[in-house]
Amino acid sequence: MSSLAQIDPEIYAAIQQEEQRQLTKLELIASENFVSPAVLEAQGSILTHKYAEGYPGRRYYGGCEHVDTAETLAINRAKQLFGVEYVNVQPHSGTQANMAIYFAFLKPGDAILGMDLAHGGHLSHGAAVNFSGQLYRSLSYGVKKDSGEIDFEGIEACLKKHRPRMLVAGASAYPRTLDFERFAQLARHYGALLMVDIAHIAGLVAAGLHPSPTPSADFITSTTHKTLRGPRGGLILAQNREIELQGKQEFYAQRLDFYLFPGIQGGPLMHTIAAKAVAFQEALRPAFKRYQQQILLNARTMAEEFLQRGYKLVTGGTDNHLLLIDLSKTGLTGQQAEIALDQAGITVNKNRIPFDPRPAKVTSGIRIGTPALTTRGMKAPEMRQVVDFIHRALSAPTDVSSLEHLQKEVKDFCRTYPLFSPEWYCEVQ
């Protein structure tokens, strides 16, 4: 019997039940993925014991020589992976990474221009309910109603009129390629700093399958999970440029380090940083690019299948790992679809579509992503089968008997693709 089962059987049971959910259901949430056994081992290691406020070689505690090694490896691997001069691997999340940049380069009340949450943006890009919309003057841009693609003319008009201090590029529900150079040209022309949040597409960027913001952006932030397939956490990347603030020249690195710690965080999570280092090492291997290529192929395959079945996709398809399905013509809300699919053993999230008349707790769409199923070894034929499962569930969303039968089919299907498939596990080793 495990120690956890003896000491806390309730938590042990919750973990076991969650493991079964992950094993027996189809995980299609675009922001989720499955890490390797090596990443799990590092995350659950005794590094969790160590307090290490500060940075490698500059700690406020003794006994940090070994965690210094782990953090330095994570930094150097991320530099190699993304081709940058500066990396901070300490942010606890992508939002913390964004917060550090705002605090370092903005004053309360400064204007930021980010993608509207209702059009596919993120809470930390200026949403009114988030600190970024409360501490700063929040401006937003969106997508064109006819195409669903980013409205760059609207961005320029807003930059020209309001002259925000920072332009934020990045999204959490946008299925097309982001034109970072166009964002950069606009930011430079109107005197704004450019922050690019690649949380969703970091793995694609690292593999060279999505344009990199490295040449264009002032700052880049990311999570380390999602397509990057690491532990849950954040990351800051930059070239170490100089900036003049209040008449003083400073390098990005010194400000970013200071405003992350001690500015907004205390001690870093050294077990998570070690797990990040492992994930970066995996991402530097040839197998990772093949994995990212399969993510894209799987997403395109699903998009084609949905279109053939008469579903409407925002922007008409996808260039990346996700697709946004507009359910308006089906008579279902996103909330109803999410519930029906869950009963069928398929996990998605309800999601607002651009210009959605329904509130965020109801929505008119669902968001689907392929990273997690691709990790389990599924390819294009399996994606077609998954779309068939989804279609059947959405065609009879209140038929309890049909959904129960479908759930059994899905469970049998999942058994063919174990969570840590031998083929994938061998590849990342």
Side-chain angles (χ1 to χ4, degrees), residues 154-175:
I155 293 174
E156 182 165 17
C158 192
L159 287 167
K160 185 176 182 178
K161 180 178 180 180
H162 297 285
R163 302 287 172 147
R165 174 65 174 156
M166 185 172 289
L167 173 61
V168 181
S172 62
Y174 184 69

Side-chain angles (χ1 to χ4, degrees), residues 394-415:
L394 296 184
S395 298
T398 59
D399 187 333
V400 176
S401 177
S402 294
L403 293 174
E404 286 178 351
H405 179 76
L406 187 53
Q407 186 183 65
K408 292 176 183 176
E409 283 189 59
V410 168
K411 187 177 290 188
D412 289 340
F413 179 77
C414 286
R415 288 195 182 98

Side-chain angles (χ1 to χ4, degrees), residues 3 59 74 91 98 124 162 165 183 200 212 223 239 246 294 321 384:
S3 297
R59 304 289 189 184
N98 292 344
S124 62
H162 297 285
R165 174 65 174 156
F183 275 106
H200 264 269
S212 171
T223 53
Q239 304 296 28
Q246 298 175 335
Q294 191 64 53
H321 64 299
R384 296 187 183 95

Side-chain angles (χ1 to χ4, degrees), residues 305-306 308-311 325 327 329-333 336-344 346 366 386-404 406:
E305 287 292 309
F306 277 117
Q308 287 177 11
R309 292 173 184 266
Y311 289 88
I325 302 178
L327 298 171
K329 294 182 179 179
T330 69
L332 292 174
T333 66
Q336 290 168 332
E338 180 185 305
I339 292 169
L341 288 167
D342 185 64
Q343 291 172 341
I346 302 164
I366 54 174
V386 171
V387 172
D388 182 66
F389 288 146
I390 293 170
H391 176 65
R392 287 163 58 191
L394 296 184
S395 298
T398 59
D399 187 333
V400 176
S401 177
S402 294
L403 293 174
E404 286 178 351
L406 187 53

Side-chain angles (χ1 to χ4, degrees), residues 232-250:
R232 295 186 64 85
L235 184 66
I236 300 174
L237 312 167
Q239 304 296 28
N240 195 18
R241 299 169 180 151
E242 276 190 295
I243 190 171
E244 183 176 330
L245 293 166
Q246 298 175 335
K248 181 182 176 183
Q249 292 294 125
E250 287 191 65

Side-chain angles (χ1 to χ4, degrees), residues 199-214:
H200 264 269
I201 56 172
L204 299 171
V205 171
L209 299 174
H210 186 289
S212 171
T214 297

Side-chain angles (χ1 to χ4, degrees), residues 28 173 175 299 302-307 309-318 322-330 332-335 337 341 348-354 356 358 363-369 386-387 390-391 394:
L28 283 163
M302 292 191 83
E304 291 165 3
E305 287 292 309
F306 277 117
L307 289 170
R309 292 173 184 266
Y311 289 88
K312 182 181 179 182
L313 304 183
V314 173
T315 76
T318 181
L322 66 84
L323 36 151
L324 195 55
I325 302 178
D326 181 348
L327 298 171
S328 301
K329 294 182 179 179
T330 69
L332 292 174
T333 66
Q335 183 182 46
L341 288 167
V348 305
N349 66 277
K350 58 184 173 292
N351 211 99
R352 297 186 79 183
I353 59 172
D356 200 329
R358 294 189 172 104
T363 83
S364 299
I366 54 174
R367 185 184 63 163
I368 287 177
V386 171
V387 172
I390 293 170
H391 176 65
L394 296 184

